[in-house]
Amino acid sequence: MKIIIGSDHAGFPMKEKVKAFLQDRGLVVEDAGTISKESVDYTDFGKKVASKVSDNTFERGVLICGTGLGMSMVANRFKGVRAALANDLFSAIMSRRHNDSNILVMGGRLIGDTLALQLVETWLETPFDGGRHQERLAKMDIE
Ligand code: RB5
């Protein structure tokens, strides 16, 4: 699986940990930035990741900002993107099982790195349930 990851300054340290974790597991990871703790706009990096999930260049993405709120708001403006803000395991699991989330969003100022890595691993391993949930996804887009 090819995965794209991005953050703002508030999510930068966690992004580096998540990137190394994914690479250690043999995944191809594209880093969309940011590249330091210098202040940047989360919108720029949210767009970089979400646009490449929206156009199917990448199957999955991970976004991290301070709270996860801004990144999820930006990402969900892109057609076909189902970005899930999940700072707990139940949300991460259910976002896959019921919502087929294709971007995981986390708050770098809200959770620790250990939980973040658990969330990423669980989110990647949990399949979509399909069935009635597929029909509901089909109703998400507003033409
Ligand atoms: C940056 O200070 C902060 O606003 C950003 O990381 C994020 O939490 C926005 O939603």
Side-chain angles (χ1 to χ4, degrees), residues 42-57:
Y42 64 84
T43 37
D44 296 335
F45 298 91
K47 284 178 176 176
K48 282 184 186 182
V49 168
S51 63
K52 290 194 175 179
V53 173
S54 178
D55 70 11
N56 294 312
T57 307

Side-chain angles (χ1 to χ4, degrees), residues 8 10-11 42 63-73 85-87 105-111:
D8 70 356
Y42 64 84
L63 282 169
I64 307 166
C65 63
T67 57
L69 291 166
M71 286 296 199
S72 52
M73 289 177 193
L85 174 54
N87 288 313
V105 189
M106 298 180 289
R109 289 174 174 162
L110 288 177
I111 61 172

Side-chain angles (χ1 to χ4, degrees), residues 128-143:
F128 177 45
D129 284 357
R132 68 183 187 281
H133 301 294
Q134 181 62 57
E135 293 164 25
R136 290 168 182 163
L137 293 192
K139 291 181 166 182
M140 275 191 183
D141 285 334
I142 299 162
E143 298 306 328

